[in-house]
Amino acid sequence: MASEFFDRVYRVVRLIPEGRVSTYGHIARFLGTGRSARVVGYAMNASHNDPSVPAHRVVNRKGLLTGKHFFGGSTVMEDLLASEGITVVNDEIQNFGELVWDPMEHLDQEEFLESI
DNA sequence: CACCTGACTGAAT
DNA sequence: AATTCAGCCAGGT
């Protein structure tokens, strides 16, 4: 693993339920690093060698598929989301407010951090 | 070893 | 309301 931080990011991302999405910021905040959302995105970029990480369920805070270019094709990420019942129009997740999954509201932060 | 860049974000201008 | 700035961390040059 590249680093402990990356490992934490992957663990959280893997916990995102099918058909739901989360954001770089939410994950960063959940990990206690608050403003390191960029690094979360960077971790996603490095997650290519780890197929168990559903990186397509992680988008930016507006629900925009900013990382779709890194999926090999322009519609790959969108298709993956669509296959889980998520509608994407113009690179934006529809009904994003209802679909977003905030780790802070569903997981025990301290327990998670201790489990590393 | 110093500098640059990036799948981000929130505050400041 | 739109744009810029500064933090954040890791990896590449």
Side-chain angles (χ1 to χ4, degrees):
Chain A
M1 188 50 60
S3 75
E4 186 177 307
F5 185 81
F6 278 29
D7 193 32
R8 289 181 186 175
V9 173
Y10 299 149
R11 285 176 187 240
V12 178
V13 174
R14 272 192 281 257
L15 293 175
I16 301 173
E18 204 175 292
R20 302 295 298 276
V21 295
S22 196
T23 75
Y24 307 100
H26 278 146
I27 294 169
R29 196 153 54 89
F30 179 71
L31 294 178
T33 55
R35 297 170 176 169
S36 57
R38 294 176 93 170
V39 190
V40 174
Y42 198 79
M44 292 297 95
N45 184 21
S47 78
H48 269 192
N49 50 14
D50 193 339
S52 69
V53 179
H56 59 283
R57 297 189 189 133
V58 185
V59 297
N60 76 358
R61 72 184 186 109
K62 299 170 196 163
L64 292 173
L65 277 50
T66 52
K68 71 167 190 174
H69 181 66
F70 293 85
F71 276 77
S74 53
T75 62
V76 178
M77 185 173 185
E78 191 173 320
D79 290 343
L80 286 170
L81 290 170
S83 70
E84 297 184 2
I86 297 175
T87 304
V88 177
V89 177
N90 199 19
D91 293 348
E92 183 174 7
I93 292 178
Q94 302 301 293
N95 202 23
F96 179 65
E98 300 297 321
L99 292 174
V100 69
W101 184 85
D102 185 351
M104 292 293 262
E105 297 180 359
H106 300 272
L107 302 176
D108 185 322
Q109 182 178 22
E110 295 189 12
E111 183 181 322
F112 180 87
L113 294 179
E114 286 174 7
S115 72
I116 294 295

